[in-house]
Amino acid sequence: MKYNYFYSVLLFMAACAGNKEEPQADANNAIAVEVQTLAAQTVSGEISLSGNIEGKTTVKLAFMVPGKVEYISSKEGEPVTKGQLLSRLELTNYTIGKELSEVQVNLAKDEFDRLSIMHKNGSVSESDYTKAGLALKQAQLQYRLQAKNEADAHLYTPLSGVLLSKATETGEVIAAGMPLFVVADIQKIVVTAFIPEGELHEVAIGTPADVYIGALGKTFTGKVTSVGGMADAVSRAFAVKVEVENKDLLIRPGMIAEVRMKGNSKETDILVPAESIIQDLDRHSYIYVIDKAQQKAFKHKVSLGRMVDNKIQILSGLSAGEVIVVAGQSKLSDGASVTIIK
């Protein structure tokens, strides 16, 4: 689900911390765990969302012709300007092809000029004259194609910004259309976050937002510029885009941000500690729930919402009154026997 990118770092850190104090299994092979009984909590109207930063305009660049990379002007992270030559392929084949086509054009033109004189004198058939004209046209088009191929062996940046990534090195042979470079305009950046459908009515285009970026330790001011028209099929959340000025170019694409907006309502939610959440290889989130009658723990798949007071909102998969595992879950498997120590 879309929230998992932000939570993965938090959950990993929590899991590492939890492992240091993890209880050991008892003599009966039951795994010792710490638990917490869930209770619904009233949450204030402030909306807090996790989001990912990207440039306002991001483009992937590729050569339109194949060849061997001969030149790359910039390194990743360096600024680039609109119209700058970013990369070039070895030109030998394309230059020769262009020169050969030029020779064919000259030959076809000489032949056409000769037959034109004869055609005026009536000493050449209309058919031969027409064929000569078509041969000249064909040679001219071939020359234009070869000239375009030579031009396409040069790659220019279509906008000013930062070279985010490059997927090739000089000397590498590449295919036409293979994305090699990513350039982004970061004078303004966009934070893409996801808001639960229950809070969507509190957000509109133009809504002010504070954007906190942990990597910089700073909060920036922005506003909502887009509210998604369709919910994600799994999380039932809507994409919200917040635009922020980035005059000093401190903010870089790929950073994680927390978006805070003022809401006007209160709601009752299920909140769980971050360390209680486990992610599988498919990045699905789940929590172990205790069946006290059987003294066993069972996996419950959950949908994650926003961060609230260092806890994570559960959109679906759990209900108040259930008992969840908050420590020792890394050694559990679905249906494992447990001993509750706290």
Side-chain angles (χ1 to χ4, degrees), residues 6-7 10 46-53 189 191-194 208-222 240 242 244 251 255-261 305-311:
F6 171 72
Y7 296 129
L10 180 60
E46 182 182 74
I47 300 171
S48 180
L49 309 170
S50 64
N52 190 48
I53 293 172
I189 59 92
V191 182
T192 301
F194 292 87
D210 291 330
V211 177
Y212 174 74
I213 302 175
L216 302 176
K218 292 185 177 182
T219 298
F220 300 83
T221 301
V240 174
V242 177
V244 177
I251 311 172
M255 288 181 172
I256 301 299
E258 183 180 358
V259 179
R260 302 188 187 102
M261 294 175 282
R306 56 193 175 93
M307 293 290 297
V308 179
D309 298 329
N310 296 320
K311 293 186 177 181

Short mmCIF file of all heavy atoms in Angstrom, two decimals, residues 6-7 10 46-53 189 191-194 208-222 240 242 244 251 255-261 305-311:
data_model
loop_
_atom_site.label_atom_id
_atom_site.label_comp_id
_atom_site.label_asym_id
_atom_site.label_seq_id
_atom_site.Cartn_x
_atom_site.Cartn_y
_atom_site.Cartn_z
N PHE A 6 6.90 5.24 3.66
CA PHE A 6 7.29 6.04 4.81
C PHE A 6 7.51 5.17 6.03
O PHE A 6 8.45 5.34 6.78
CB PHE A 6 6.23 7.09 5.09
CG PHE A 6 6.45 7.83 6.40
CD1 PHE A 6 7.47 8.75 6.52
CD2 PHE A 6 5.64 7.57 7.48
CE1 PHE A 6 7.68 9.41 7.70
CE2 PHE A 6 5.84 8.23 8.67
CZ PHE A 6 6.86 9.16 8.78
N TYR A 7 6.59 4.21 6.23
CA TYR A 7 6.66 3.43 7.44
C TYR A 7 7.80 2.42 7.45
O TYR A 7 8.24 1.98 8.51
CB TYR A 7 5.34 2.66 7.66
CG TYR A 7 4.18 3.57 7.87
CD1 TYR A 7 3.02 3.42 7.12
CD2 TYR A 7 4.24 4.59 8.81
CE1 TYR A 7 1.95 4.26 7.31
CE2 TYR A 7 3.19 5.43 8.98
CZ TYR A 7 2.04 5.28 8.25
OH TYR A 7 0.99 6.10 8.43
N LEU A 10 10.67 3.49 9.59
CA LEU A 10 10.27 3.53 10.99
C LEU A 10 10.11 2.13 11.56
O LEU A 10 10.58 1.83 12.67
CB LEU A 10 8.95 4.30 11.11
CG LEU A 10 8.37 4.45 12.52
CD1 LEU A 10 9.36 5.17 13.42
CD2 LEU A 10 7.04 5.19 12.47
N GLU A 46 -6.26 17.83 13.47
CA GLU A 46 -5.11 18.08 12.61
C GLU A 46 -4.84 16.87 11.72
O GLU A 46 -4.83 15.73 12.18
CB GLU A 46 -3.86 18.38 13.44
CG GLU A 46 -2.66 18.70 12.56
CD GLU A 46 -1.40 18.97 13.35
OE1 GLU A 46 -0.83 17.98 13.87
OE2 GLU A 46 -1.01 20.14 13.48
N ILE A 47 -4.64 17.12 10.46
CA ILE A 47 -4.37 16.06 9.50
C ILE A 47 -2.86 15.95 9.31
O ILE A 47 -2.20 16.94 9.01
CB ILE A 47 -5.05 16.34 8.15
CG1 ILE A 47 -6.56 16.44 8.35
CG2 ILE A 47 -4.71 15.26 7.14
CD1 ILE A 47 -7.30 16.93 7.12
N SER A 48 -2.32 14.78 9.52
CA SER A 48 -0.88 14.55 9.36
C SER A 48 -0.68 13.37 8.42
O SER A 48 -1.18 12.28 8.67
CB SER A 48 -0.23 14.28 10.72
OG SER A 48 1.14 14.05 10.56
N LEU A 49 0.05 13.60 7.34
CA LEU A 49 0.24 12.58 6.31
C LEU A 49 1.73 12.43 6.00
O LEU A 49 2.48 13.40 6.04
CB LEU A 49 -0.49 12.97 5.02
CG LEU A 49 -1.96 13.37 5.12
CD1 LEU A 49 -2.44 13.94 3.81
CD2 LEU A 49 -2.81 12.17 5.53
N SER A 50 2.13 11.23 5.69
CA SER A 50 3.50 11.01 5.21
C SER A 50 3.50 11.12 3.69
O SER A 50 2.53 10.76 3.02
CB SER A 50 4.00 9.64 5.63
OG SER A 50 3.23 8.62 5.02
N GLY A 51 4.60 11.64 3.15
CA GLY A 51 4.65 11.81 1.71
C GLY A 51 6.05 11.68 1.16
O GLY A 51 7.04 11.72 1.90
N ASN A 52 6.14 11.56 -0.13
CA ASN A 52 7.40 11.44 -0.84
C ASN A 52 7.60 12.66 -1.73
O ASN A 52 6.66 13.12 -2.38
CB ASN A 52 7.41 10.16 -1.68
CG ASN A 52 8.79 9.88 -2.25
OD1 ASN A 52 9.78 9.93 -1.54
ND2 ASN A 52 8.85 9.60 -3.54
N ILE A 53 8.82 13.18 -1.76
CA ILE A 53 9.10 14.41 -2.50
C ILE A 53 9.60 14.08 -3.91
O ILE A 53 10.41 13.18 -4.11
CB ILE A 53 10.15 15.24 -1.75
CG1 ILE A 53 9.56 15.75 -0.43
CG2 ILE A 53 10.64 16.41 -2.60
CD1 ILE A 53 10.56 16.42 0.46
N ILE A 189 9.06 21.97 -5.52
CA ILE A 189 8.93 20.52 -5.35
C ILE A 189 7.49 20.17 -5.01
O ILE A 189 6.71 21.04 -4.58
CB ILE A 189 9.91 19.98 -4.29
CG1 ILE A 189 9.67 20.63 -2.91
CG2 ILE A 189 11.34 20.16 -4.74
CD1 ILE A 189 8.73 19.91 -2.01
N VAL A 191 5.13 17.36 -2.90
CA VAL A 191 5.03 16.26 -1.93
C VAL A 191 3.75 15.49 -2.25
O VAL A 191 2.66 16.07 -2.25
CB VAL A 191 4.98 16.76 -0.49
CG1 VAL A 191 4.93 15.58 0.47
CG2 VAL A 191 6.15 17.66 -0.18
N THR A 192 3.89 14.22 -2.56
CA THR A 192 2.72 13.37 -2.81
C THR A 192 2.44 12.55 -1.56
O THR A 192 3.27 11.76 -1.12
CB THR A 192 2.96 12.43 -4.00
OG1 THR A 192 3.24 13.21 -5.17
CG2 THR A 192 1.72 11.58 -4.27
N ALA A 193 1.28 12.77 -0.98
CA ALA A 193 0.86 12.05 0.22
C ALA A 193 -0.49 11.40 -0.05
O ALA A 193 -1.12 11.67 -1.08
CB ALA A 193 0.78 13.00 1.42
N PHE A 194 -0.94 10.56 0.89
CA PHE A 194 -2.21 9.85 0.69
C PHE A 194 -3.09 10.05 1.91
O PHE A 194 -2.65 9.84 3.05
CB PHE A 194 -1.95 8.36 0.42
CG PHE A 194 -1.29 8.13 -0.90
CD1 PHE A 194 0.08 8.18 -1.01
CD2 PHE A 194 -2.04 7.92 -2.03
CE1 PHE A 194 0.71 8.00 -2.23
CE2 PHE A 194 -1.44 7.74 -3.26
CZ PHE A 194 -0.06 7.78 -3.36
N PRO A 208 -3.73 25.45 2.90
CA PRO A 208 -2.34 25.62 3.36
C PRO A 208 -1.84 24.36 4.05
O PRO A 208 -2.61 23.62 4.67
CB PRO A 208 -2.45 26.79 4.35
CG PRO A 208 -3.74 27.47 4.04
CD PRO A 208 -4.65 26.38 3.55
N ALA A 209 -0.55 24.13 3.97
CA ALA A 209 0.05 22.94 4.58
C ALA A 209 1.46 23.25 5.05
O ALA A 209 2.19 24.01 4.41
CB ALA A 209 0.07 21.78 3.59
N ASP A 210 1.82 22.70 6.21
CA ASP A 210 3.20 22.74 6.69
C ASP A 210 3.87 21.43 6.33
O ASP A 210 3.32 20.35 6.59
CB ASP A 210 3.24 22.93 8.21
CG ASP A 210 2.78 24.33 8.63
OD1 ASP A 210 2.97 25.27 7.83
OD2 ASP A 210 2.21 24.46 9.73
N VAL A 211 5.04 21.52 5.73
CA VAL A 211 5.76 20.34 5.27
C VAL A 211 7.06 20.23 6.07
O VAL A 211 7.96 21.06 5.92
CB VAL A 211 6.06 20.42 3.77
CG1 VAL A 211 6.88 19.20 3.32
CG2 VAL A 211 4.77 20.49 2.97
N TYR A 212 7.13 19.22 6.92
CA TYR A 212 8.34 19.01 7.72
C TYR A 212 9.19 17.93 7.06
O TYR A 212 8.71 16.84 6.75
CB TYR A 212 7.98 18.57 9.15
CG TYR A 212 9.20 18.21 9.96
CD1 TYR A 212 10.05 19.20 10.45
CD2 TYR A 212 9.51 16.88 10.24
CE1 TYR A 212 11.17 18.87 11.19
CE2 TYR A 212 10.64 16.55 10.98
CZ TYR A 212 11.47 17.55 11.45
OH TYR A 212 12.58 17.23 12.16
N ILE A 213 10.48 18.27 6.84
CA ILE A 213 11.41 17.32 6.22
C ILE A 213 12.47 16.97 7.25
O ILE A 213 13.32 17.79 7.61
CB ILE A 213 12.05 17.93 4.96
CG1 ILE A 213 10.94 18.31 3.96
CG2 ILE A 213 13.03 16.96 4.33
CD1 ILE A 213 11.42 19.02 2.74
N GLY A 214 12.40 15.74 7.74
CA GLY A 214 13.29 15.30 8.80
C GLY A 214 14.75 15.35 8.41
O GLY A 214 15.61 15.65 9.24
N ALA A 215 15.07 15.06 7.15
CA ALA A 215 16.47 15.05 6.71
C ALA A 215 17.11 16.43 6.83
O ALA A 215 18.32 16.55 7.00
CB ALA A 215 16.56 14.56 5.27
N LEU A 216 16.29 17.46 6.74
CA LEU A 216 16.78 18.84 6.84
C LEU A 216 16.49 19.46 8.20
O LEU A 216 17.06 20.49 8.55
CB LEU A 216 16.16 19.72 5.74
CG LEU A 216 16.39 19.26 4.30
CD1 LEU A 216 15.64 20.18 3.33
CD2 LEU A 216 17.88 19.26 3.97
N GLY A 217 15.56 18.84 8.95
CA GLY A 217 15.17 19.39 10.23
C GLY A 217 14.46 20.72 10.10
O GLY A 217 14.51 21.56 10.99
N LYS A 218 13.76 20.91 8.98
CA LYS A 218 13.09 22.19 8.73
C LYS A 218 11.64 21.97 8.31
O LYS A 218 11.29 20.92 7.76
CB LYS A 218 13.82 22.97 7.63
CG LYS A 218 15.20 23.48 8.03
CD LYS A 218 15.78 24.36 6.92
CE LYS A 218 17.12 24.94 7.34
NZ LYS A 218 17.68 25.83 6.30
N THR A 219 10.85 23.00 8.55
CA THR A 219 9.45 23.00 8.11
C THR A 219 9.26 24.07 7.05
O THR A 219 9.71 25.21 7.22
CB THR A 219 8.50 23.27 9.29
OG1 THR A 219 8.66 22.21 10.26
CG2 THR A 219 7.05 23.29 8.82
N PHE A 220 8.62 23.70 5.95
CA PHE A 220 8.37 24.62 4.84
C PHE A 220 6.86 24.80 4.68
O PHE A 220 6.07 23.95 5.07
CB PHE A 220 8.96 24.07 3.55
CG PHE A 220 10.45 23.84 3.61
CD1 PHE A 220 10.98 22.68 4.18
CD2 PHE A 220 11.33 24.78 3.12
CE1 PHE A 220 12.34 22.46 4.24
CE2 PHE A 220 12.71 24.58 3.18
CZ PHE A 220 13.21 23.41 3.74
N THR A 221 6.50 25.93 4.10
CA THR A 221 5.09 26.24 3.88
C THR A 221 4.72 25.94 2.43
O THR A 221 5.44 26.30 1.50
CB THR A 221 4.79 27.71 4.18
OG1 THR A 221 5.13 27.97 5.55
CG2 THR A 221 3.32 28.03 3.98
N GLY A 222 3.59 25.28 2.25
CA GLY A 222 3.12 24.97 0.91
C GLY A 222 1.61 25.01 0.85
O GLY A 222 0.94 25.45 1.78
N VAL A 240 -2.82 13.23 -2.59
CA VAL A 240 -2.86 14.68 -2.43
C VAL A 240 -1.47 15.21 -2.74
O VAL A 240 -0.47 14.70 -2.24
CB VAL A 240 -3.26 15.07 -0.99
CG1 VAL A 240 -3.15 16.57 -0.79
CG2 VAL A 240 -4.67 14.60 -0.69
N VAL A 242 1.11 18.49 -2.62
CA VAL A 242 1.37 19.78 -1.98
C VAL A 242 2.62 20.38 -2.63
O VAL A 242 3.67 19.74 -2.69
CB VAL A 242 1.60 19.61 -0.46
CG1 VAL A 242 1.94 20.95 0.18
CG2 VAL A 242 0.36 19.01 0.19
N VAL A 244 5.66 23.17 -2.85
CA VAL A 244 6.49 23.95 -1.93
C VAL A 244 7.59 24.66 -2.73
O VAL A 244 8.22 24.05 -3.60
CB VAL A 244 7.13 23.05 -0.85
CG1 VAL A 244 8.04 23.85 0.06
CG2 VAL A 244 6.05 22.34 -0.05
N ILE A 251 15.83 21.09 -0.76
CA ILE A 251 14.97 19.91 -0.81
C ILE A 251 15.27 19.13 -2.08
O ILE A 251 15.30 19.70 -3.17
CB ILE A 251 13.49 20.32 -0.77
CG1 ILE A 251 13.23 21.31 0.38
CG2 ILE A 251 12.59 19.10 -0.61
CD1 ILE A 251 11.83 21.90 0.36
N MET A 255 13.33 12.57 -0.81
CA MET A 255 13.25 12.78 0.64
C MET A 255 11.84 12.46 1.13
O MET A 255 10.88 12.53 0.37
CB MET A 255 13.60 14.23 0.99
CG MET A 255 15.07 14.58 0.85
SD MET A 255 15.40 16.31 1.33
CE MET A 255 17.18 16.33 1.29
N ILE A 256 11.75 12.13 2.42
CA ILE A 256 10.47 11.85 3.04
C ILE A 256 10.00 13.10 3.77
O ILE A 256 10.79 13.79 4.41
CB ILE A 256 10.58 10.68 4.03
CG1 ILE A 256 11.07 9.42 3.30
CG2 ILE A 256 9.25 10.40 4.71
CD1 ILE A 256 10.16 8.95 2.21
N ALA A 257 8.72 13.39 3.69
CA ALA A 257 8.17 14.58 4.33
C ALA A 257 6.91 14.22 5.11
O ALA A 257 6.21 13.26 4.78
CB ALA A 257 7.85 15.66 3.28
N GLU A 258 6.65 15.01 6.13
CA GLU A 258 5.39 14.91 6.86
C GLU A 258 4.58 16.16 6.57
O GLU A 258 5.06 17.28 6.78
CB GLU A 258 5.61 14.76 8.36
CG GLU A 258 4.31 14.58 9.13
CD GLU A 258 4.51 14.44 10.63
OE1 GLU A 258 5.68 14.44 11.07
OE2 GLU A 258 3.51 14.34 11.35
N VAL A 259 3.38 15.97 6.07
CA VAL A 259 2.49 17.08 5.71
C VAL A 259 1.45 17.25 6.81
O VAL A 259 0.75 16.29 7.17
CB VAL A 259 1.79 16.82 4.36
CG1 VAL A 259 0.87 17.97 4.01
CG2 VAL A 259 2.83 16.61 3.26
N ARG A 260 1.35 18.46 7.33
CA ARG A 260 0.37 18.75 8.38
C ARG A 260 -0.59 19.82 7.88
O ARG A 260 -0.17 20.87 7.40
CB ARG A 260 1.06 19.22 9.65
CG ARG A 260 2.08 18.24 10.22
CD ARG A 260 2.55 18.71 11.59
NE ARG A 260 3.64 17.87 12.10
CZ ARG A 260 4.92 18.22 12.08
NH1 ARG A 260 5.26 19.38 11.58
NH2 ARG A 260 5.84 17.41 12.56
N MET A 261 -1.89 19.53 8.00
CA MET A 261 -2.93 20.47 7.61
C MET A 261 -3.98 20.54 8.71
O MET A 261 -4.22 19.56 9.42
CB MET A 261 -3.58 20.04 6.29
CG MET A 261 -2.65 20.08 5.10
SD MET A 261 -3.39 19.43 3.59
CE MET A 261 -3.27 17.68 3.91
N GLY A 305 -2.95 3.91 8.19
CA GLY A 305 -3.35 5.29 7.93
C GLY A 305 -2.21 6.24 8.24
O GLY A 305 -1.06 5.97 7.93
N ARG A 306 -2.50 7.32 8.94
CA ARG A 306 -1.52 8.35 9.19
C ARG A 306 -0.83 8.16 10.54
O ARG A 306 -1.24 7.35 11.36
CB ARG A 306 -2.20 9.73 9.14
CG ARG A 306 -3.36 9.89 10.09
CD ARG A 306 -4.15 11.16 9.74
NE ARG A 306 -5.35 11.30 10.53
CZ ARG A 306 -5.42 11.98 11.66
NH1 ARG A 306 -4.34 12.59 12.13
NH2 ARG A 306 -6.55 12.07 12.33
N MET A 307 0.21 8.96 10.74
CA MET A 307 0.90 8.99 12.01
C MET A 307 0.17 9.93 12.97
O MET A 307 -0.18 11.05 12.60
CB MET A 307 2.34 9.49 11.84
CG MET A 307 3.22 8.55 11.04
SD MET A 307 3.62 7.03 11.94
CE MET A 307 4.52 7.70 13.33
N VAL A 308 -0.05 9.47 14.20
CA VAL A 308 -0.69 10.30 15.22
C VAL A 308 0.07 10.07 16.53
O VAL A 308 0.05 8.96 17.08
CB VAL A 308 -2.18 9.94 15.42
CG1 VAL A 308 -2.79 10.82 16.50
CG2 VAL A 308 -2.94 10.09 14.11
N ASP A 309 0.76 11.13 17.00
CA ASP A 309 1.49 11.03 18.27
C ASP A 309 2.40 9.80 18.30
O ASP A 309 2.40 9.01 19.25
CB ASP A 309 0.52 10.98 19.46
CG ASP A 309 -0.31 12.25 19.57
OD1 ASP A 309 0.20 13.31 19.18
OD2 ASP A 309 -1.46 12.16 20.04
N ASN A 310 3.17 9.63 17.25
CA ASN A 310 4.15 8.54 17.15
C ASN A 310 3.51 7.16 17.09
O ASN A 310 4.19 6.15 17.30
CB ASN A 310 5.16 8.59 18.30
CG ASN A 310 6.02 9.84 18.26
OD1 ASN A 310 6.42 10.27 17.18
ND2 ASN A 310 6.26 10.43 19.41
N LYS A 311 2.24 7.11 16.85
CA LYS A 311 1.55 5.84 16.61
C LYS A 311 0.97 5.86 15.21
O LYS A 311 0.89 6.90 14.57
CB LYS A 311 0.47 5.61 17.66
CG LYS A 311 1.00 5.39 19.07
CD LYS A 311 -0.09 5.02 20.04
CE LYS A 311 0.48 4.74 21.43
NZ LYS A 311 -0.60 4.34 22.38
#
